[in-house]
Amino acid sequence: MPIIITTHDPILLNSAFVPIPISQHRRAIFPPSQRSPPRILRFSPRSDMDAAAGQGLYPLHRCKTLHLVRHAQGFHNVEGDKNPDAYLSYDLFDANLTPLGWSQVDNLRKHVKTSKISKGIELVIVSPLLRTMQTAVGVFGGEAYTDGITAPPLMNDNVGDSGRPAISSLNCPPFIAVEQCREHLGIHPCDKRRSITEYQNMFPAIDFSLIESDEDILWKPDIRETNEEVAARGLKFFEWLWTRKEKEIAVISHSGFLFHALSSFGDDCHPTIKSEICTHYANCELRSVVIIDRGMIGSDNPATNYPGKIPAGLDLPSDIADEKLSGNGQAN
């Protein structure tokens, strides 16, 4: 049954009901002495489609923009597409990008430049595997590294027998490697990483300081992480992002991690939006999303808000003055 509320006071709506205009509603009776009728809102239980069509409003300082990227085509993708058993082969240990994968990287780099995405990114977070780091530095890194530059390169030349020149760390955001956004752990050798010492020689300007062990102690040859465990790891990763001060971040990760980590989101949205969030990523696909801190996880102060009343002065709003005169309300 609809609920009819007649009131002069502000109403705080919860998520269970939505207002429906009823300007012609006949059941409400107004006393003749009343100069203006009270506001009438008719509430009906929210249907699934109503909920899907809802809107949200959040403080800007409690939001972050993420540019989520799956790595470009690796040799394991090619061999695994031909024969899924190839994923069990140690020949594909920490697989690097194919020549086609590098072409995908070049095209995504053009896109982030022409769309000006690259100008706003403050940090690049990357899974510490060869294919993700190659993708990250190729898309978001500086230009080709040349002699005479004193800053260490993001990537040395010919890493992974790629034939690619070294990539500069100048004029680009900092890069940091994070284990939490790795692919499913275990069994597949392509998802096992090298030692951090090896990676530091390949990618001198990537920050590996958050990785505690030089060797890969997370990958097990006989145990594969479940989808549920990857999803839980993904949620912890998104919570960790709120400890970072940066507001616009690129994350370069993997198909399985992104799919299962994002599967926890979007259930309160229209099905089309849910599918935009949770479908599998293509190689070198980028999707930009906003995450919202609704639980006070972060503690950043608003950088763009302005308190007003500088200098201070009288500022009673007319609507609050009307409430004071009628005796029906209090100033907010």
Side-chain angles (χ1 to χ4, degrees), residues 7-10 319-331:
T7 178
H8 285 284
D9 300 321
D319 56 334
I320 296 178
D322 290 342
E323 291 179 357
K324 284 188 171 185
L325 288 173
S326 65
N328 291 330
Q330 297 180 349

Side-chain angles (χ1 to χ4, degrees), residues 21-289:
I22 54 165
S23 58
Q24 302 303 318
H25 196 275
R26 299 298 183 186
R27 293 175 58 187
I29 301 175
F30 309 125
S33 61
Q34 194 168 296
R35 304 180 79 181
S36 61
R39 288 174 295 144
I40 302 177
L41 299 177
R42 180 174 182 244
F43 291 82
S44 294
R46 183 190 290 268
S47 68
D48 289 344
M49 186 54 68
D50 289 332
Q55 300 181 57
L57 184 69
Y58 302 95
L60 181 61
H61 70 286
R62 302 203 181 278
C63 303
K64 288 183 189 288
T65 299
L66 304 181
H67 303 287
L68 305 176
V69 180
R70 180 192 174 193
H71 62 80
Q73 185 194 69
F75 281 100
H76 67 303
N77 296 134
V78 176
E79 297 305 318
D81 196 89
K82 296 175 184 176
N83 178 8
D85 289 340
Y87 281 110
L88 301 175
S89 172
Y90 276 85
D91 290 340
L92 296 173
F93 164 66
D94 191 21
N96 58 286
L97 298 186
T98 66
L100 177 68
W102 277 109
S103 294
Q104 294 170 342
V105 166
D106 292 338
N107 286 327
L108 180 54
R109 181 180 180 85
K110 292 175 186 175
H111 169 73
V112 300
K113 294 290 186 183
T114 57
S115 65
K116 303 191 185 305
I117 290 174
S118 57
K119 290 186 177 296
I121 292 175
E122 302 168 72
L123 177 69
V124 177
I125 295 173
V126 60
S127 163
L129 287 171
L130 190 54
R131 59 190 181 269
T132 41
M133 291 189 286
Q134 287 177 318
T135 301
V137 300
V139 173
F140 298 105
E143 301 302 328
Y145 191 82
T146 58
D147 292 338
I149 296 178
T150 56
L154 275 171
M155 185 181 79
N156 282 318
D157 65 297
N158 200 36
V159 164
D161 295 322
S162 63
R164 305 283 290 202
I167 296 174
S168 171
S169 61
L170 297 178
N171 302 314
C172 62
F175 285 63
I176 186 167
V178 176
E179 296 251 50
Q180 273 190 320
C181 61
R182 282 176 63 177
E183 183 59 289
H184 276 83
L185 297 167
I187 296 184
H188 293 177
C190 59
D191 299 327
K192 177 176 172 59
R193 70 165 171 82
R194 303 166 196 256
S195 71
I196 297 303
T197 301
E198 288 181 82
Y199 285 146
Q200 286 173 326
N201 291 328
M202 297 176 179
F203 302 96
I206 292 182
D207 181 357
F208 294 95
S209 63
L210 294 182
I211 298 178
E212 298 179 357
S213 173
D214 188 53
E215 298 297 329
D216 188 356
I217 61 174
L218 300 177
W219 186 93
K220 308 297 182 185
D222 55 348
I223 301 174
R224 183 78 167 163
E225 234 183 342
T226 66
N227 294 340
E228 292 75 18
E229 288 171 333
V230 175
R233 175 159 58 89
L235 288 178
K236 289 181 180 178
F237 172 73
F238 285 118
E239 288 182 4
W240 171 79
L241 287 177
W242 286 107
T243 69
R244 305 290 313 187
K245 66 181 186 301
E246 297 87 0
K247 292 299 186 182
E248 190 163 352
I249 300 171
V251 178
I252 294 79
S253 186
H254 307 264
S255 174
F257 175 80
L258 291 170
F259 178 78
H260 295 293
L262 295 172
S263 64
S264 301
F265 299 93
D267 290 335
D268 57 345
C269 299
H270 189 282
T272 299
I273 297 175
K274 173 71 174 178
S275 69
E276 289 176 353
I277 296 172
C278 301
T279 53
H280 281 283
Y281 278 60
N283 280 132
C284 220
E285 180 179 357
L286 179 151
R287 298 181 203 165
S288 299
V289 300

